[in-house]
Amino acid sequence: MRKKPATVRMARWSATHPWSAIGLWIAFVALCLFLGGAVGTNAISDEESGVRESGRAGKIVHSGDFPEKPEENVLITAESGGRLDKDAAGRAAADVTRRMKALSGVESVGEPVASPDGKALLVPVTMKGDTENADTRVQPLLDAGAAVQKAHRGLRVEQVGTGSTAKGLTETLGEDFEKAELISLPLTLLILLVVFGAVIAAGVPVVLALSCVGAAIGLSTLASHVLPETSAVSNVILLMGMAVGVDYSLFYLKREREERQKGRSHIDAIEIAAETSGHTVMVSGTTVIVSMAGLYLANEATFASLATGSIIVVAVAVLASLTVLPALLGKLGRWVDRPRVPLLWRLTMRPNESRLWPALLRPALVKPVGTLVVSVGALVLLALPALDMQLKQPGSDDLSRDIPVVRSMDRLTASFPSKGTVHQVAVRAPADQADEVKAALKGLLARTAENDLFAHDQTPAIKESADRTVHTVDVGTPYQPKSDGAKRSLDVLRSWVPRALVEVPDAEGAVGGKVAQGVDFTGHLEERMPWVVGFVLLLTFGMMAVIFRSLAVALSAIFLNLLSAAASFGVLVSVFQHTWAEDLLDFHSSGAVVSWLPLFLFVVLFGLSMDYHVFVVSRIREAALGGADIKDAVREGITRSAGVVTSAAMVMVGVFSIFGTLSMVEFKQLGVGLAAAILLDAVVIRIFVLPALMAVLGTWNWWPGRVSGSRSRRRPRSDHSWEARE
């Protein structure tokens, strides 16, 4: 007797020892959370996240070991926005100084500075402590500013700086994600309730997915001590964890229920689900992991962190589906279908085959060539705008103006441009050349003072490290970070720095700052993207060829997933590079797509699309192994898997769409891009393109092998594996 696959052996043990399996899983999740909380997060530092010249600038600055103090700017303007009363502003500035100096968290308060246009007065404040947790200590300063505002009618007193800006943005983002979580969980439960018609069956995938997210966050915290972590990792883990966690449970639960309906015993149904859907989950998870691993080839710390978090949560979701899910099903028994929602239960348990899916598949199977041409043509048309994709890093000008601190930043930079978009010039040289470096930087600043590309409201100050080996100076520009003017000023400054240092032979100079980081990051990604795409395509092709023992299936999988990814990129460009959707999605178009998004979206979409592809083609192959000809196999495989795929897609589209409502433009683009891709993949690709393509290829689908035959020659099998050979 053939030895059963590992997925079946694990499922049987879990189903027959449910309390042991459930207890081990709870202990595993608790241990991950405990260890993660105990060791803490090792965050990516500025010098680790930089690339190209801006990355060198960050390393030079870091080597200077400059003491970093949180800086706040108290801005005093007329409440009407017009001319400022100097006497009233002076009294308010004196009040600010008095109140701030009285605070224990304030180190020093500078002299008030008037703006060149006479419309604002700025009081610089330096806080005690480091910059890392300034947002948690800035509230007393904000309270003092609010008291000054209350005492001086007709004036607007507001604060922008290290702590206050971080606090304002963190609170807004926190509210955003709280709202997203509050909406996404009930929405997911509602969709699953419609799918299963029973409360417990709907709740199991959600509970399992949440436990996977918790365990993955703990494990990613541990992993951050090997590969430093970006702050966005927890959000990506939540996004990916809910998506794949619910999907994998859905695949498994649906197959287990299907087998029970056929009269199988409870344990037999779990075994068959493990051998079919469980195997598919393992293959799909491996495919997603391979796709996400492609991000390591981007050779950038942020992408490495996102890849690590995604790989961990997918691996945990696969483990949960193969171990604790069979245990839950084994313990619940038929209680998994309780309590039933009467109408929904009758709909989900209809004995007759649905008429919808055969009707939708009819064009692809009756006229496959025409359907293929029309559907592929429609996707190509959707993809065409992607040819005009412009990439830029997100900046302050992308933030919603509904955020109070963002409006304050706008008023600050309007009156004091040098406080807004800033280029940082960093120079490292032997200490005995410090005077020559200072002279060179003063000459550089003299040139910027005569050029309109740079801000002139304040004289830049040259900073020197304690050992005199590193010098930095911040040069402001009056343009928004993503504007062409800011880019021109960067290009000019980078051309001037080497000339300024020509008399200092041992000096190493570089220009960094937000604009430089954005330009360098975009250029770096454009350079690395072919490597990432090539890796993902090659590895995915190899995996599909091995799994299905068919080069044709592997090639068609690559083609279909490239097509859906390209179409989603076209949708992304159409929505966010133009202005027609601004009011609908509450954003301001910058005429570009966030530079890190296409690469990240590509690997995520490729992984998730392959998820569906493996599941659907597995069912088609299972029917072909049973003796059906290709059209019957396609009809049977897609009809039997369509409900699961559509349900899983509905969950994903629902969760991803919520991200489109968040304030940050990168999350909007991420949500819309993912939702559009999954929708196109589940509807257009799976209902029209895939069946039409397989119908056209016929027996060539399984080239260089073959699996199909006549149902009359169907051979009995002692097992239920979709891998059984003829």
Side-chain angles (χ1 to χ4, degrees), residues 286-421:
T286 305
T287 307
V288 177
I289 287 171
V290 166
S291 294
M292 297 307 302
L295 288 178
Y296 289 120
L297 293 182
N299 196 26
E300 199 274 330
T302 300
F303 277 115
S305 174
L306 295 177
T308 302
S310 300
I311 287 170
I312 288 172
V313 75
V314 172
V316 171
V318 171
L319 181 65
S321 299
L322 299 180
T323 57
V324 72
L325 181 56
L328 287 170
L329 294 177
K331 187 61 186 173
L332 288 169
R334 296 190 178 276
W335 276 97
V336 75
D337 292 330
R338 303 284 194 279
R340 298 171 179 175
V341 181
L343 177 61
L344 295 178
W345 174 258
R346 285 197 296 273
L347 289 173
T348 60
M349 299 301 288
R350 284 179 304 183
N352 298 326
E353 187 180 88
S354 170
R355 299 177 187 175
L356 175 63
W357 301 113
L360 291 174
L361 288 172
R362 190 172 296 117
L365 298 178
V366 174
K367 296 184 177 179
V369 175
T371 302
L372 188 64
V373 170
V374 171
S375 54
V376 170
L379 290 173
V380 169
L381 285 175
L382 274 178
L384 285 178
L387 297 175
D388 187 40
M389 183 183 288
Q390 304 296 317
L391 300 178
K392 287 183 181 178
Q393 274 289 79
S396 59
D397 43 342
D398 288 312
L399 296 170
S400 171
R401 265 50 202 173
D402 292 335
I403 305 173
V405 73
V406 174
R407 296 196 298 271
S408 299
M409 288 167 59
D410 287 344
R411 285 188 281 268
L412 175 66
T413 55
S415 296
F416 297 92
S418 60
K419 295 289 184 180
T421 307

Side-chain angles (χ1 to χ4, degrees), residues 191 247 357 379 382 560 563-565 567-568 571 605 608-609 612 642 645-657 670-689:
I191 294 170
D247 266 16
W357 301 113
L379 290 173
L382 274 178
L560 295 179
L563 192 60
S564 63
S568 68
V571 172
L605 294 178
L608 295 180
S609 294
Y612 293 153
V645 169
T646 305
S647 303
M650 285 171 61
V651 172
M652 282 199 185
V653 170
V655 172
F656 294 154
S657 296
L670 179 64
V672 170
L674 286 170
I678 297 300
L679 194 61
L680 288 170
D681 193 73
V683 177
V684 183
I685 296 291
R686 304 302 156 207
I687 296 176
F688 299 106
V689 183

Side-chain angles (χ1 to χ4, degrees), residues 621 623-630 633 698-699 702 706-710 713 726:
R621 192 170 189 274
L625 283 167
D629 63 32
I630 187 61
T699 56
W702 317 115
R706 65 182 185 87
V707 297
S708 61
S710 169
R713 293 185 288 110
E726 290 183 294

Side-chain angles (χ1 to χ4, degrees), residues 525-536:
L525 290 188
E526 290 174 345
E527 178 185 288
R528 300 300 302 176
M529 192 156 185
W531 292 94
V532 177
V533 172
F535 172 85
V536 173

Side-chain angles (χ1 to χ4, degrees), residues 11 159 165 190 268 381 475-476 492 581:
Q159 194 169 316
T165 302
L190 181 62
D268 284 347
L381 285 175
V475 181
V492 168

Side-chain angles (χ1 to χ4, degrees), residues 246-559:
V246 170
D247 266 16
Y248 295 162
S249 299
L250 192 59
F251 293 166
Y252 208 105
L253 269 165
K254 274 283 192 180
R255 187 58 185 258
E256 189 267 349
R257 174 187 275 187
E258 183 182 316
E259 295 303 325
R260 276 195 288 115
Q261 280 185 280
K262 294 177 180 177
R264 310 280 187 189
S265 69
H266 197 63
I267 298 299
D268 284 347
I270 292 173
E271 282 197 15
I272 295 170
E275 195 166 10
T276 52
S277 294
H279 189 279
T280 301
V281 164
M282 190 169 65
V283 170
S284 299
T286 305
T287 307
V288 177
I289 287 171
V290 166
S291 294
M292 297 307 302
L295 288 178
Y296 289 120
L297 293 182
N299 196 26
E300 199 274 330
T302 300
F303 277 115
S305 174
L306 295 177
T308 302
S310 300
I311 287 170
I312 288 172
V313 75
V314 172
V316 171
V318 171
L319 181 65
S321 299
L322 299 180
T323 57
V324 72
L325 181 56
L328 287 170
L329 294 177
K331 187 61 186 173
L332 288 169
R334 296 190 178 276
W335 276 97
V336 75
D337 292 330
R338 303 284 194 279
R340 298 171 179 175
V341 181
L343 177 61
L344 295 178
W345 174 258
R346 285 197 296 273
L347 289 173
T348 60
M349 299 301 288
R350 284 179 304 183
N352 298 326
E353 187 180 88
S354 170
R355 299 177 187 175
L356 175 63
W357 301 113
L360 291 174
L361 288 172
R362 190 172 296 117
L365 298 178
V366 174
K367 296 184 177 179
V369 175
T371 302
L372 188 64
V373 170
V374 171
S375 54
V376 170
L379 290 173
V380 169
L381 285 175
L382 274 178
L384 285 178
L387 297 175
D388 187 40
M389 183 183 288
Q390 304 296 317
L391 300 178
K392 287 183 181 178
Q393 274 289 79
S396 59
D397 43 342
D398 288 312
L399 296 170
S400 171
R401 265 50 202 173
D402 292 335
I403 305 173
V405 73
V406 174
R407 296 196 298 271
S408 299
M409 288 167 59
D410 287 344
R411 285 188 281 268
L412 175 66
T413 55
S415 296
F416 297 92
S418 60
K419 295 289 184 180
T421 307
V422 176
H423 306 303
Q424 185 177 48
V425 180
V427 180
R428 180 165 50 199
D432 59 3
Q433 296 183 347
D435 292 336
E436 288 89 337
V437 172
K438 281 185 179 179
L441 290 177
K442 286 178 181 177
L444 177 69
L445 294 177
R447 294 190 71 177
T448 64
E450 298 172 356
N451 193 302
D452 290 338
L453 286 172
F454 303 98
H456 306 136
D457 57 284
Q458 291 182 336
T459 302
I462 299 173
K463 296 179 182 179
E464 183 180 75
S465 64
D467 61 2
R468 305 194 74 201
T469 60
V470 178
H471 295 80
T472 70
V473 62
D474 292 341
V475 181
T477 177
Y479 301 100
Q480 290 290 335
K482 293 198 299 181
S483 65
D484 292 335
K487 173 72 165 53
R488 287 198 304 273
S489 67
L490 173 67
D491 292 340
V492 168
L493 194 59
R494 282 183 164 175
S495 68
W496 286 355
V497 168
R499 298 178 202 169
L501 297 173
V502 72
E503 299 297 329
V504 191
D506 296 325
E508 176 190 2
V511 181
K514 294 296 183 184
V515 177
Q517 289 168 2
V519 169
D520 291 345
F521 187 74
T522 301
H524 177 77
L525 290 188
E526 290 174 345
E527 178 185 288
R528 300 300 302 176
M529 192 156 185
W531 292 94
V532 177
V533 172
F535 172 85
V536 173
L537 294 181
L538 185 62
L539 265 291
T540 304
F541 174 82
M543 284 185 60
M544 296 297 288
V546 170
I547 292 164
F548 291 101
R549 297 180 293 282
S550 166
L551 296 179
V553 168
L555 285 170
S556 63
I558 296 294
F559 166 69

